[in-house]
């Protein structure tokens, strides 16, 4: 009986450890980190076809930066809601941009243009970064499917990281709710 209890206890501990590690995914800059400059290729924004630094262009404004490895339905839903929020908070100069991390930027461009057209994304540039790792200083975890960082004056105020399949309606709602932290 003691063996059975010990095995069950170990199983529960392992399950708890797995749950904690999934919940503790750290990807990207953390709260109070400085957001350094990095270049992307703009696909759908005002500088479409050009390389630029949106972090630099947005300066001290409240910014939501989303890094994605693959655009799926839930990621598109997040982008659409952020785009609507940027339009709503134009008076506060809120900005957002999405960066797809890819080894094949040309393949992503067509999909991003289609997404922007289909979802009517007008205020949030969709961009590509030319490798799947991301900007080195941003420390995007290889297990993160989506990493969301929000900053003001290049000072990170919010960070959310999601493994594949973890971006749900509830987590999207939490990300949208947390934009209040950069709009004060």
């Amino acid at each position: 009986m003691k063996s059975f209890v010990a095995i069950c206890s170990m199983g529960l501990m392992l399950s708890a450890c797995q749950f904690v590690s999934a919940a503790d995914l750290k990807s990207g800059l953390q709260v109070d980190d400085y957001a350094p400059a990095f270049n992307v290729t703009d696909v759908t924004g005002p500088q479409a076809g050009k390389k630029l630094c949106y972090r630099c262009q947005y300066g001290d404004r409240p910014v939501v930066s989303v890094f994605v490895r693959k655009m799926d339905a839930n990621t598109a839903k997040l982008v659409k809601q952020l785009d609507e929020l940027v339009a709503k908070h134009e008076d506060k100069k809120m900005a957002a941009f999405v960066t797809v991390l890819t080894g094949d930027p040309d393949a992503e461009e067509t999909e991003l243009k289609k997404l922007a057209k289909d979802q009517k994304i007008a205020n949030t540039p969709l961009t590509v970064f030319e490798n799947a790792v991301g900007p080195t200083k941003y420390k995007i975890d290889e297990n993160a499917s989506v990493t969301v960082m929000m900053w003001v004056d290049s000072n990170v105020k919010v960070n959310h990281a999601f493994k594949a399949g973890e971006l749900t309606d509830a987590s999207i709602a939490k990300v949208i709710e947390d934009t209040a932290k950069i709009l004060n």
Side-chain angles (χ1 to χ4, degrees), residues 29-179:
L29 303 171
Q30 300 301 301
V31 173
D32 290 329
D33 282 350
Y34 173 79
F38 68 97
N39 289 319
V40 295
T41 301
D42 190 352
V43 176
T44 67
Q47 302 287 326
K50 297 182 180 175
K51 284 190 183 239
L52 71 149
C53 174
Y54 271 113
R55 203 290 291 148
C56 303
Q57 281 201 347
Y58 292 150
D60 61 356
R61 296 167 61 179
V63 176
V64 179
S65 175
V66 181
F67 286 90
V68 264
R69 297 198 185 281
K70 183 179 183 209
M71 232 7 130
D72 61 18
N74 282 339
T75 307
K77 193 181 299 185
L78 170 65
V79 173
K80 177 66 176 167
Q81 290 183 31
L82 286 172
D83 191 63
E84 291 169 352
L85 209 55
V86 169
K88 180 180 175 183
H89 294 290
E90 185 178 5
D91 60 324
K92 295 183 180 179
K93 299 189 188 302
M94 181 182 182
F97 66 104
V98 177
T99 304
V100 177
L101 305 175
T102 179
D104 189 1
D106 294 335
E108 295 294 333
E109 287 185 22
T110 303
E111 292 299 317
L112 292 177
K113 287 177 183 176
K114 182 178 179 343
L115 173 73
K117 181 180 177 190
D118 292 349
Q119 297 292 321
K120 297 179 176 65
I121 307 295
N123 307 293
T124 305
L126 306 179
T127 72
V128 291
F129 188 82
E130 295 183 15
N131 76 43
V133 177
T136 307
K137 292 180 181 179
Y138 276 70
K139 305 175 211 153
I140 306 298
D141 190 290
E142 66 185 22
N143 295 310
S145 177
V146 178
T147 302
V148 180
M149 291 164 278
M150 300 179 205
W151 60 71
V152 178
D153 287 325
S154 299
N155 182 22
V156 177
K157 303 292 184 188
V158 177
N159 174 293
H160 291 282
F162 306 96
K163 290 183 179 180
E166 289 184 343
L167 187 64
T168 63
D169 287 345
S171 56
I172 291 170
K174 178 64 176 150
V175 169
I176 297 303
E177 176 186 317
D178 279 355
T179 60

